[in-house]
Amino acid sequence: MENPNRHIDIWNDCLHIIEQLVEPQKYATWFKPIKPVSMEDSTLTVEVPTDFFREYLEGAFLDIIKKTLRRVIGADARLIYRVRPVKSQQPMQYPASNSLEPSNRPVSINTYNPSGNPSPFVYPGLQKLNIKPRLNPVYCFENLIEGECNKMGITAGLNISSAPGNTPFNPLFLFASSGLGKTHIAQAIGLAIKEKFPEKVVLYVTGNEFKTQYMDAVNVKNKLTDFLAFYMKIEVLIVDDIQDLIGQGSQNAFFNVFNHLHQSGKQLIFTSDRAPVDLQNFEERLLSRFKWGLSVELKRPDYQTRLAMLKSRSFREGVSIDDAVLEYLATRIKSNFRELEGALISLIAHATLTRQEVTVELAQNITDKIVREEKSDLTIDKVQSVVCEYFNITREALLSKTRKRQIVQARQIAMYISRNHIENCSLSTIGMELGGKDHATVLHACTTVSDLMSTDRTFKQYITDIEKMLVPVVK
C-alpha cells in the first residue's frame, strides 16, 4: 500500500541533508516555513509563503536544493513550488528552475607579444581566461515540447549531450524558419553537456559575432593568432545563425577552427535559417564540412504540439488559464513557437494590468492586434490544381497509375504539400484523393520529397514555387 505521507517523509529527508549544508539562521528563515504538499512519481510539490520567498530560494539555494532532491529522490527529481493563496485566490504553481547559469573552467590561452611575430623558438605567454558559456538556463530540454516537428532534433541533441564529440552527429546542423526552436535546442544541448560534463568548455556565439570578432582581431597586430588560439580551446562550439558568417577572411578563419576542433573530437553545433545546400556566398569546402554530420530540419508545429507548448509556458508563468483559451490560441496561431509565446505573454500581461479575467474574447482581441490572419481553406483539390498547373500536366495524369518519372514526382509533391499544410488531414485521406493510394505510399512519398529537398536545389525550388502559388492559403 502506498504511503500517504510519502511527500512529508521525502521532504524531511531533504531537510536533514540541507540542515548540514546551510547556516542555522538561514535554514530557520528559508527552509522551516516550507510545507510539503504532494508527491507524484518523481515530482515533489512544496508550498511557500510568497512569490518573493520562491524567487529568493531559487537565487540563493537552487544548487543545494537540486542536488539534495536528486540524492533523495533520484536523477529524475523535479520540484514544484505552490505559492500560498491569499483569501479566495487560486494557488499559483511554478516549476523550479532547471539550473543556474553555467560557467566554464579557466582556460590557458597562448598569447603573443604585440611588438612583433615571435620566433618559433620563443615560448608565447600564457593567459588564463574565464570564458562564459553564454547559455540561458531557460533554454533547457525540460522546457522543450517534443512533437513531430522537432523530434529528430531533440533526439539527436540528447544523444550528443551524453557523448559530445563521440557520436555520428558532428557537426549537428539545425535549420528552419524563424521561431521554430533552433536556438532553444542548440542551447539545451550545451546546458545538458555542462550538467553532465562540468569540466568541458562550452561556448555559444552567433555567426555575426564570430565575424565581428574576426574583423576586430585582424585590425590589431598579432591578435588574429590570439583569436584562433581562443576558439581552438573550445570543446563544444555552438554557432547560431551561421548564415550570417559572410566574408572570405572570416570563413577562412572558421574553416581552420572547424578543422582543428573536429579533428580533436570536439563537438560542433550550428543553426541556420536554411539548409546547407541553400547557403549563399559560402566556400564549397566549408559547405561540404557542414554536411559531414547530421542536418535536421525543424518544421512548423502541429496543433497538439502548439497546445502542449502553451500549457507548459503558462505553467512556467505560474498562471492557470482555461483550456478553451489555450485551444483558441493554438488554433489561431500556426506559424511558429515564438508567435505563440508572444501572444500568450501579451494576453497574461494585459489581463494582469487591466485586472481582467483571461477569456476567449480577450484572447481574440489581443491576437487580432498582433497576429496576421491565417487562411485555412487549403484543400487537396486546390493542391492538385496548382501542382498540375506548375508541371503542365492534366489532373487525370496526376491521378493515374502511370510510373512516368515526371508524373510520379508531381504526385509525391502534392502528397507532401497536403500533409504539411492541410490541418487534420490524415495520410489515408491524402492517398485516397491522390489516386487511391494507401497511407504507406503517402508516407514514403513525403520522406522521398523531404530527402530530395535537402540534396537537390532544383527540386527544393519546385516546392518553394508551388507554395508561393498557394499563398495566401499556405501562409
Side-chain angles (χ1 to χ4, degrees), residues 331-400:
T331 302
R332 176 75 187 276
I333 305 170
K334 304 173 184 177
S335 52
N336 59 58
F337 289 119
R338 188 172 297 148
E339 280 197 4
L340 269 175
E341 286 193 305
L344 179 65
I345 297 305
S346 295
L347 179 61
I348 293 171
H350 188 88
T352 302
L353 294 172
T354 60
R355 300 179 184 274
Q356 293 185 59
E357 184 181 353
V358 179
T359 63
V360 173
E361 290 72 26
L362 180 61
Q364 184 174 356
N365 290 336
I366 295 297
T367 52
D368 281 345
K369 296 179 177 64
I370 63 175
V371 179
R372 65 184 181 275
E373 188 65 37
E374 294 198 20
K375 302 289 183 181
S376 58
D377 56 350
L378 181 63
T379 63
I380 298 176
D381 187 68
K382 174 69 174 175
V383 172
Q384 289 181 22
S385 297
V386 171
V387 169
C388 289
E389 179 186 349
Y390 185 79
F391 287 108
N392 194 27
I393 59 176
T394 66
R395 185 171 300 217
E396 289 72 22
L398 182 71
L399 303 181
S400 70

Side-chain angles (χ1 to χ4, degrees), residues 320-336:
S320 178
I321 297 179
D322 190 79
D323 283 350
V325 176
L326 300 181
E327 288 166 3
Y328 170 79
L329 291 176
T331 302
R332 176 75 187 276
I333 305 170
K334 304 173 184 177
S335 52
N336 59 58

Side-chain angles (χ1 to χ4, degrees), residues 210-226:
F210 185 95
K211 179 177 69 176
T212 301
Q213 292 166 3
Y214 166 80
M215 293 171 65
D216 290 344
V218 168
N219 292 326
V220 179
K221 195 171 185 180
N222 294 318
K223 283 298 179 183
L224 181 57
T225 306
D226 293 349

Side-chain angles (χ1 to χ4, degrees), residues 50-104:
T50 65
D51 197 33
F52 169 77
F53 193 102
R54 175 189 66 85
E55 289 181 353
Y56 187 87
L57 278 175
E58 290 273 281
F61 304 110
L62 177 60
D63 198 44
I64 291 174
I65 294 172
K66 184 174 66 172
K67 290 178 180 177
T68 302
L69 286 170
R70 289 182 177 176
R71 179 175 166 185
V72 175
I73 300 174
D76 296 331
R78 295 288 181 270
L79 180 66
I80 293 176
Y81 300 103
R82 191 175 80 175
V83 178
R84 194 168 298 156
V86 179
K87 296 181 181 178
S88 61
Q89 178 186 339
Q90 289 290 319
M92 301 179 77
Q93 296 194 139
Y94 301 84
S97 297
N98 177 60
S99 64
L100 298 169
E101 186 174 344
S103 59
N104 288 317

